[in-house]
C-alpha cells in the first residue's frame, strides 16, 4: 500500500472517531435538559399535591364553613320560672270564702305533674230554702313551659298557649253575649272572657280569666247560677271576684319562684322579669274548664 493511501486512511479513521465522540456529546447534552424538565415537573407535581392536601385540610379545619358550622348550634333563652305552687293552695281561705262560700276547704286536685302543671276545683251550693239556691264553681289551672331549642323559649311557648286558651274560652258551644276585655295589673298579659250559658239546671254566668306570667299560664274559670227559682247572680260581681282571685294566683306563682310575697302576705306581687323584656313542651289541658261546670 502506498504511503499516500495509508495517510488518507489514517485521516479518515481519525475523522470517524471525532464524529463518534461528537455524537456522544450531543446525545448527553440532549439528555440533561430532559432530566431537568422531568425533575422540574416531578417537583411541581409533588408541590401541588402537598399544597392541595394541606390546603384542603386547612379549608376543612379552619375555613368559613367550619366556623359557620361551629356557631350554627341554636341557643334559647332559659325559662324564668322553674316551679309551680301547690294548685289547691294558690288562693287564701278568705278569697275562697268569697268565691265558693261552702267549699273553702274542699278543693279537688286535678291531674298534676310536679313543677309542670296542676289544677284544683271547688264547688259550692248555698241553699236558700223556698227561694232556691246559689251555685258557684271555681277552677284554677297552672301550666309551666320549659325552654327548648326546637320549640322556643318557655315564654314564647306560654304566649302561644295563652292565646289558644283565650280563643277556646271565646268559642265555647252555646255561649251567649260573649265579651272579652284586657285585665290590667295581672301578670304580663291577661284577658277576661265572660258569657252566659244556659243549662238544664239554670242560667249560668261564666267568667274565664287567662293570664301569662313569664313562662307560666294561669287559667281561672268561675261561674255562678241561681237554681230552683233563685235569681241569677250579678255578672259584674262575679267578674270582680274572678279578677281578684286571678291576681292572687299569679302572686302565688311568683312567690313560689322567689318573687314577691306568698299568698296572704301584705306585699304586692313583684312584676315579672319579662315585663321589661320584649313556654321541653308540656302537655296542654283540655279546653276551657267552664264546660265541665
Amino acid at each position: 500500500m502506498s504511503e499516500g493511501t495509508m495517510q488518507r486512511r489514517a485521516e479518515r479513521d481519525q475523522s470517524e472517531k471525532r464524529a463518534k465522540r461528537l455524537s456522544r456529546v450531543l446525545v448527553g447534552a440532549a439528555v440533561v435538559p430532559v432530566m431537568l424538565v422531568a425533575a422540574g415537573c416531578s417537583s411541581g407535581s409533588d408541590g401541588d399535591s402537598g399544597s392541595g392536601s394541606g390546603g384542603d385540610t386547612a379549608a376543612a379545619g379552619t375555613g368559613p364553613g367550619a366556623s359557620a358550622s361551629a356557631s350554627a348550634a341554636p341557643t334559647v333563652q332559659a325559662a324564668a320560672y322553674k316551679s309551680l305552687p301547690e294548685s289547691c293552695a294558690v288562693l287564701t281561705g278568705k278569697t275562697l270564702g268569697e268565691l265558693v262560700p261552702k267549699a273553702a276547704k274542699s278543693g279537688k286536685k286535678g291531674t298534676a305533674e310536679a313543677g309542670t302543671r296542676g289544677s284544683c276545683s271547688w264547688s259550692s251550693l248555698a241553699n236558700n230554702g223556698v227561694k232556691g239556691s246559689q251555685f258557684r264553681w271555681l277552677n284554677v289551672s297552672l301550666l309551666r313551659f320549659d325552654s327548648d331549642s326546637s320549640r322556643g323559649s318557655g315564654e314564647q311557648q306560654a304566649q302561644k298557649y295563652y292565646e289558644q286558651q283565650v280563643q277556646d274560652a271565646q268559642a265555647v258551644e252555646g255561649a251567649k253575649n260573649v265579651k272579652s276585655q284586657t285585665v290590667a295589673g295581672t301578670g304580663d298579659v291577661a284577658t277576661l272572657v265572660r258569657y252566659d250559658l244556659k243549662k238544664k239546671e239554670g242560667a249560668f254566668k261564666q267568667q274565664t280569666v287567662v293570664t301569662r306570667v313569664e313562662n307560666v299560664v294561669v287559667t281561672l274559670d268561675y261561674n255562678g247560677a241561681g237554681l230552683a227559682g233563685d235569681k241569677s247572680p250579678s255578672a259584674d260581681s262575679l267578674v270582680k271576684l274572678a279578677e281578684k282571685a286571678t291576681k292572687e294566683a299569679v302572686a302565688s306563682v311568683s312567690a313560689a319562684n322567689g318573687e314577691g310575697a306568698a299568698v296572704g302576705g301584705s306585699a304586692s306581687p313583684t312584676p315579672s322579669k319579662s315585663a321589661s323584656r320584649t313556654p321541653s313542651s308540656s302537655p296542654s289541658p283540655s279546653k276551657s274548664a267552664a264546660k265541665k261546670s
Side-chain angles (χ1 to χ4, degrees), residues 16-191:
E16 288 176 358
K17 289 179 181 180
R18 287 197 302 269
K20 287 180 180 179
R21 284 198 301 270
L22 181 58
S23 177
R24 286 196 297 271
V25 171
L26 291 175
V27 170
V31 169
V32 171
V34 172
M35 292 177 66
L36 292 175
V37 171
C41 291
S42 175
S43 175
S45 176
D46 291 342
D48 290 345
S49 175
S51 175
S53 175
D56 291 345
T57 302
T62 61
S67 177
S69 176
S71 62
T75 58
V76 62
Q77 181 178 304
Y81 286 167
K82 305 297 183 182
S83 61
L84 291 176
E86 174 62 38
S87 58
C88 289
V90 296
L91 302 177
T92 63
K94 179 181 178 181
T95 298
L96 288 171
E98 294 176 356
L99 276 77
V100 281
K102 301 295 182 179
K105 297 182 180 180
S106 59
K108 296 181 180 180
K109 185 181 294 186
T111 302
E113 295 177 20
T116 300
R117 66 182 295 174
S119 66
C120 193
S121 63
W122 299 260
S123 60
S124 172
L125 183 64
N127 192 339
N128 295 321
V130 296
K131 294 182 179 180
S133 58
Q134 286 290 321
F135 174 80
R136 300 289 186 273
W137 182 80
L138 172 67
N139 185 83
V140 179
S141 296
L142 311 169
L143 187 60
R144 187 183 67 84
F145 293 85
D146 280 322
S147 295
D148 185 274
S149 59
S150 62
R151 297 182 178 87
S153 69
E155 186 176 321
Q156 291 171 331
Q157 295 178 67
Q159 180 64 25
K160 290 180 181 178
Y161 180 69
Y162 159 82
E163 293 169 358
Q164 185 60 56
Q165 284 288 87
V166 173
Q167 292 175 14
D168 289 346
Q170 294 169 333
V172 171
E173 185 177 356
K176 303 293 184 183
N177 304 318
V178 180
K179 298 178 181 178
S180 300
Q181 62 190 64
T182 299
V183 180
T186 304
D188 295 308
V189 60
T191 299

Side-chain angles (χ1 to χ4, degrees), residues 184-207:
T186 304
D188 295 308
V189 60
T191 299
L192 164 70
V193 181
R194 54 190 290 187
Y195 54 83
D196 299 330
L197 190 63
K198 189 174 182 179
K199 299 185 177 183
K200 62 181 180 180
E201 297 90 350
F204 288 77
K205 302 290 184 180
Q206 172 71 35
Q207 280 59 233

Side-chain angles (χ1 to χ4, degrees), residues 155 158-159 162 186-189 210-217 274:
E155 186 176 321
Q159 180 64 25
Y162 159 82
T186 304
D188 295 308
V189 60
V210 185
T211 307
R212 179 185 67 78
V213 54
E214 295 286 2
N215 54 307
V216 175
V217 176
S274 65

